[in-house]
């Protein structure tokens, strides 16, 4: 695995109106890693992802991607640089077909020339999406919709995928399947930063993790170390 830093978030604060959702948050992701952000409802995980993708602008600190300052860039420019975000709740268009939803993912300048190639890549990872391509997205099952959301993210030809609560509401077998695909995506050279409420799952699937509480990072490290941390065992494993 490369040791190159792909994403560097340094000491950011972020607000929703007058409410401060992030306090001095720092995080790094290296090329080829799978990194998890763990925390309870309202800990600030989505706000952190939104700050990286440009939907929320931090009031303090900086965010660098491949050494370039992206702190104040607009979301579409950040997508062009190679960051895709799959939001919680999937964010697909229910009244468009599966294929139309996928194509929307390739509308940025950098990805357009690779549309066909990326489509084939998505179909290889998720054969069910090829079978269902003329179907309206709203007719897919919850798991298939999640696959569609991931597939759409891949259509933008990302270097880094930001995934919010991918497994929410899905059956365990399906969740296993999705995480298997994540590992395949990583093997194809795409780095992954994912948000997850399920601590056990995160500490199994990721290489490293950041644990957030009320807008702050309270612990971070390699997952094997975190699994042995007394604070983690007490708070999450009832030890
Ligand atoms: P969840 O797992 O529930 O999505 P989270 O860890 O992703 O939680 P955030 O969604 O980042 O947490 O929210 C962090 C805090 O910011 C919460 O207290 C939330 O109520 C608040 N917040 C989020 N979005 C807004 C908004 N648009 N306006 C006001 N407050 C907000």
């Amino acid at each position: 695995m490369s040791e190159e830093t792909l994403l560097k978030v340094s000491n950011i604060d972020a607000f929703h109106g007058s409410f401060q959702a992030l306090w001095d948050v720092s995080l790094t992701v290296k090329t080829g890693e799978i990194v998890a952000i763990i925390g309870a409802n309202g800990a600030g995980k989505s706000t952190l992802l939104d700050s990286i993708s440009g939907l929320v602008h931090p009031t303090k600190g900086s965010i660098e991607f491949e050494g370039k300052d992206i702190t104040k860039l607009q979301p579409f420019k950040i997508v062009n640089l190679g960051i895709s975000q799959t939001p919680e709740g999937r964010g697909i268009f229910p009244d468009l077909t599966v294929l139309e939803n996928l194509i929307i993912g390739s509308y940025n300048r950098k990805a357009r020339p690779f549309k066909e190639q990326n489509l084939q890549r998505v179909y290889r990872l998720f054969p069910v999406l090829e079978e269902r391509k003329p179907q309206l997205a709203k007719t897919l099952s919850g798991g298939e919709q999640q696959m569609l959301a991931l597939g759409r993210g891949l259509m933008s030809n990302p270097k880094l995928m930001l995934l919010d609560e991918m497994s929410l509401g899905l059956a365990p077998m399906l969740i296993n399947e999705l995480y298997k695909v994540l590992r395949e995506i990583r093997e194809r050279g795409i780095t992954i930063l994912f948000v997850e409420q399920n601590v056990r799952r995160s500490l199994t699937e990721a290489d490293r993790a950041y644990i957030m509480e009320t807008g702050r990072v309270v612990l971070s490290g390699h997952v094997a170390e975190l699994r042995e941390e007394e604070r983690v065992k007490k708070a999450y494993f009832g030890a």
Side-chain angles (χ1 to χ4, degrees), residues 16 19 21 40-47 88 165 197:
H16 294 290
F19 178 81
N41 270 326
K45 307 179 300 296
S46 301
T47 306
E88 190 179 347
E165 306 262 2
Q197 278 192 33

Short mmCIF file of all heavy atoms in Angstrom, two decimals, residues 16 19 21 40-47 88 165 197, ligand 1:
data_model
loop_
_atom_site.label_atom_id
_atom_site.label_comp_id
_atom_site.label_asym_id
_atom_site.label_seq_id
_atom_site.Cartn_x
_atom_site.Cartn_y
_atom_site.Cartn_z
N HIS A 16 -23.53 24.75 11.22
CA HIS A 16 -24.82 24.79 10.53
C HIS A 16 -25.52 25.99 11.14
O HIS A 16 -25.97 25.91 12.29
CB HIS A 16 -25.63 23.52 10.77
CG HIS A 16 -25.00 22.30 10.16
ND1 HIS A 16 -24.93 22.11 8.82
CD2 HIS A 16 -24.42 21.22 10.73
CE1 HIS A 16 -24.33 20.98 8.56
NE2 HIS A 16 -24.00 20.41 9.71
N PHE A 19 -24.96 26.84 14.86
CA PHE A 19 -24.60 25.62 15.59
C PHE A 19 -23.25 25.07 15.12
O PHE A 19 -23.08 24.80 13.93
CB PHE A 19 -25.70 24.56 15.40
CG PHE A 19 -25.39 23.26 16.08
CD1 PHE A 19 -25.61 23.09 17.44
CD2 PHE A 19 -24.83 22.21 15.36
CE1 PHE A 19 -25.30 21.90 18.07
CE2 PHE A 19 -24.52 21.00 15.99
CZ PHE A 19 -24.76 20.85 17.34
N ALA A 21 -20.88 22.30 14.45
CA ALA A 21 -20.98 20.84 14.31
C ALA A 21 -19.61 20.17 14.34
O ALA A 21 -19.50 18.99 14.68
CB ALA A 21 -21.70 20.49 13.02
N ALA A 40 -21.80 8.17 17.08
CA ALA A 40 -23.24 8.08 17.28
C ALA A 40 -23.95 9.12 16.41
O ALA A 40 -23.31 9.96 15.79
CB ALA A 40 -23.56 8.31 18.75
N ASN A 41 -25.27 9.08 16.42
CA ASN A 41 -26.09 10.09 15.74
C ASN A 41 -25.67 11.47 16.18
O ASN A 41 -25.55 11.72 17.37
CB ASN A 41 -27.57 9.93 16.17
CG ASN A 41 -28.29 8.98 15.25
OD1 ASN A 41 -27.99 8.94 14.06
ND2 ASN A 41 -29.20 8.23 15.80
N GLY A 42 -25.48 12.36 15.21
CA GLY A 42 -25.21 13.75 15.56
C GLY A 42 -23.76 14.03 15.93
O GLY A 42 -23.42 15.15 16.34
N ALA A 43 -22.87 13.07 15.78
CA ALA A 43 -21.46 13.27 16.17
C ALA A 43 -20.73 14.20 15.20
O ALA A 43 -19.66 14.71 15.52
CB ALA A 43 -20.74 11.93 16.24
N GLY A 44 -21.30 14.39 14.01
CA GLY A 44 -20.67 15.29 13.04
C GLY A 44 -20.07 14.58 11.84
O GLY A 44 -19.38 15.19 11.03
N LYS A 45 -20.36 13.30 11.71
CA LYS A 45 -19.74 12.49 10.64
C LYS A 45 -20.15 13.00 9.24
O LYS A 45 -19.30 13.20 8.39
CB LYS A 45 -20.14 11.01 10.79
CG LYS A 45 -19.87 10.44 12.17
CD LYS A 45 -20.30 9.00 12.31
CE LYS A 45 -21.78 8.71 12.09
NZ LYS A 45 -22.71 9.33 13.07
N SER A 46 -21.44 13.22 9.06
CA SER A 46 -21.91 13.69 7.75
C SER A 46 -21.37 15.09 7.47
O SER A 46 -21.02 15.41 6.33
CB SER A 46 -23.44 13.73 7.69
OG SER A 46 -23.96 12.45 7.95
N THR A 47 -21.32 15.91 8.49
CA THR A 47 -20.80 17.28 8.30
C THR A 47 -19.34 17.23 7.87
O THR A 47 -18.91 18.01 7.02
CB THR A 47 -20.95 18.09 9.61
OG1 THR A 47 -22.31 18.03 10.04
CG2 THR A 47 -20.55 19.54 9.40
N GLU A 88 -25.94 9.70 2.75
CA GLU A 88 -26.85 8.87 3.54
C GLU A 88 -28.23 8.97 2.89
O GLU A 88 -28.63 10.01 2.40
CB GLU A 88 -26.89 9.46 4.96
CG GLU A 88 -27.59 8.62 5.96
CD GLU A 88 -27.56 9.27 7.35
OE1 GLU A 88 -26.80 10.23 7.57
OE2 GLU A 88 -28.32 8.79 8.19
N GLU A 165 -23.02 6.03 5.64
CA GLU A 165 -24.00 5.06 6.16
C GLU A 165 -24.54 4.11 5.08
O GLU A 165 -25.74 3.96 4.92
CB GLU A 165 -25.19 5.80 6.78
CG GLU A 165 -24.79 6.79 7.84
CD GLU A 165 -24.92 6.28 9.25
OE1 GLU A 165 -25.28 5.09 9.44
OE2 GLU A 165 -24.62 7.05 10.16
N GLN A 197 -22.22 3.74 11.57
CA GLN A 197 -22.58 3.73 13.01
C GLN A 197 -22.21 2.40 13.65
O GLN A 197 -22.05 2.33 14.86
CB GLN A 197 -24.07 3.97 13.18
CG GLN A 197 -24.41 5.44 13.12
CD GLN A 197 -25.83 5.72 13.57
OE1 GLN A 197 -26.35 5.03 14.44
NE2 GLN A 197 -26.44 6.72 12.98
P1 LIG B 1 -26.13 10.99 11.75
O1 LIG B 1 -25.53 9.66 11.91
O2 LIG B 1 -27.40 11.15 12.51
O3 LIG B 1 -26.20 11.48 10.34
P2 LIG B 1 -23.76 12.58 12.05
O4 LIG B 1 -22.69 12.10 12.95
O5 LIG B 1 -23.58 12.41 10.60
O6 LIG B 1 -25.13 11.98 12.52
P3 LIG B 1 -24.24 15.32 11.41
O7 LIG B 1 -25.36 15.00 10.49
O8 LIG B 1 -22.95 15.77 10.85
O9 LIG B 1 -23.96 14.10 12.40
O10 LIG B 1 -24.77 16.42 12.43
C1 LIG B 1 -23.94 17.00 13.42
C2 LIG B 1 -24.75 17.99 14.21
O11 LIG B 1 -25.11 19.08 13.37
C3 LIG B 1 -26.05 17.42 14.76
O12 LIG B 1 -26.23 17.92 16.07
C4 LIG B 1 -27.11 17.93 13.83
O13 LIG B 1 -28.32 18.13 14.49
C5 LIG B 1 -26.53 19.25 13.38
N1 LIG B 1 -26.95 19.57 12.00
C6 LIG B 1 -26.72 18.82 10.90
N2 LIG B 1 -27.23 19.41 9.80
C7 LIG B 1 -27.79 20.56 10.22
C8 LIG B 1 -28.48 21.63 9.57
N3 LIG B 1 -28.68 21.63 8.26
N4 LIG B 1 -28.93 22.64 10.36
C9 LIG B 1 -28.72 22.67 11.69
N5 LIG B 1 -28.07 21.71 12.36
C10 LIG B 1 -27.61 20.67 11.65
#
